[in-house]
Structures are given as structure tokens and as C-alpha cells.
Amino acid sequence: LRLDLGCGKNPREGFIGVDSRNFGQPVTADLRKKWPWADNSVAEVHCSHFVEHLTAAERVHFVNELYRILVPEGKAKIVAPHWNSPRAFGDLTHQWPPVSEWWFLYVNKGWREVNAPHSDYNPEVNFEVAYAPILRADIAQRNQEYQMYAYANYKDAAQDLDSTWTKK
């Protein structure tokens, strides 16, 4: 089972489209509530430009449900505007806080046990997250050294964060 969460009008090919509004996709569901899939039943998730529309508490719920439905070693590709990009702030339906690389630490059980034992994530949630910034076109065409410098020092160098979450 492969799901495209928050697919809007354009579900990803080979995935079952899911959105809270009916755009003609196969599943209409409010992902801020309990998800309609069984535990350990989904092999892969795609989610592009959806999580930034959730409040912080709703993102915690999203992560808890994602962990519940993914099979062990299941993967989720999540793309969201980078916190330091105008894209994060331009759409007034985006919620605070914007998506940051630090979020990826909090979904790792070992890191959370040491650094954030107070969190509201299900204690079993354990993802390994690999991510890369999607850089502005004018920066992406430059050499890697410049790209890394720009990413670290220029406010809008990264447009999006492209992350792959693996359930452990």
C-alpha cells in the first residue's frame, strides 16, 4: 500500500491519493484525526507541501499516525518549505512553527529519550531521517562548496526540505 497524503488535485502516480477535500482522489480523510489504515499496513508514503499546514500539535499526531501505519523499514518522503525561505511564510495557511531540520531529531527515539523526554510523541516513534535542502536555482547550479556556504549563511538559499523517513 502506497499513500500520497495531502495530494490535492495531483496524486502521485502509483500512490493512493488522500486529501481532506474531495478532488476526486480515492480517499477523503481528515489526517488531523485517527487515520483509517491498520497498524503496519503501509509500505510507502509521499507527502509534499502538506505538513506545514498543520499546527505543532497536529504534526505530533501526524508523526504518531505515520509511525503506526508504516510497516517496519517503511519509508515516507516528506517535502516542506524550509523554515528560512519566503515560501514558508508566503502562504498564510501555513502554521507556526515553520519546518526546521531540528524536527527530524525529535522523531528519533534515542535522541528524544536523552534530549526531549517531555515530548508528546508516542514513546515508540522511531524514525531515521535523511534530508537535503532544495536550493534556489541560482545557487543549485554553483559548485558544492558554494552551495553549502549559501545554505549555512543566506536566509533564502534553501527553498524546501526534502526528507526521507524510515521506520525503525
Side-chain angles (χ1 to χ4, degrees), residues 84-100:
N84 206 7
S85 166
R87 293 170 58 112
F89 301 98
D91 183 345
L92 298 180
T93 66
H94 291 181
Q95 300 294 314
W96 191 263
V99 177
S100 162

Side-chain angles (χ1 to χ4, degrees), residues 9-166:
K9 296 179 181 179
N10 302 303
R12 186 177 175 102
E13 188 174 331
F15 287 70
I16 295 171
V18 180
D19 205 286
S20 62
R21 295 181 184 174
N22 186 350
F23 294 110
Q25 76 279 357
V27 179
T28 300
D30 184 349
L31 298 176
R32 296 172 300 171
K33 299 178 180 172
K34 184 171 171 61
W35 296 1
W37 301 281
D39 295 1
N40 302 305
S41 64
V42 176
E44 188 176 357
V45 165
H46 181 262
C47 184
S48 181
H49 291 275
F50 170 71
V51 297
E52 66 272 15
H53 295 275
L54 300 174
T55 65
E58 291 166 347
R59 290 179 200 173
V60 171
H61 171 75
F62 178 92
V63 169
N64 289 340
E65 285 294 284
L66 181 65
Y67 190 80
R68 180 183 67 77
I69 67 165
L70 279 175
V71 299
E73 300 299 320
K75 296 195 180 298
K77 179 180 180 78
I78 300 175
V79 180
H82 187 274
W83 68 271
N84 206 7
S85 166
R87 293 170 58 112
F89 301 98
D91 183 345
L92 298 180
T93 66
H94 291 181
Q95 300 294 314
W96 191 263
V99 177
S100 162
E101 301 90 340
W102 274 77
W103 183 29
F104 307 144
L105 297 172
Y106 284 84
V107 299
N108 180 272
K109 183 178 182 178
W111 187 92
R112 203 172 50 251
E113 286 174 347
V114 172
N115 298 286
H118 60 281
S119 80
D120 290 332
Y121 291 104
N122 172 332
E124 298 308 309
V125 165
N126 191 22
F127 286 103
E128 283 186 11
V129 180
Y131 72 91
I134 299 174
L135 301 173
R136 271 188 357 230
D138 62 315
I139 294 171
Q141 67 186 358
R142 303 280 301 267
N143 66 52
Q144 187 175 16
E145 181 179 84
Y146 180 82
Q147 289 176 17
M148 296 310 297
Y149 180 84
Y151 177 55
N153 294 286
Y154 299 153
K155 79 168 178 60
D156 64 345
Q159 299 296 289
D160 292 322
L161 280 172
D162 183 348
S163 58
T164 300
W165 302 39
T166 304

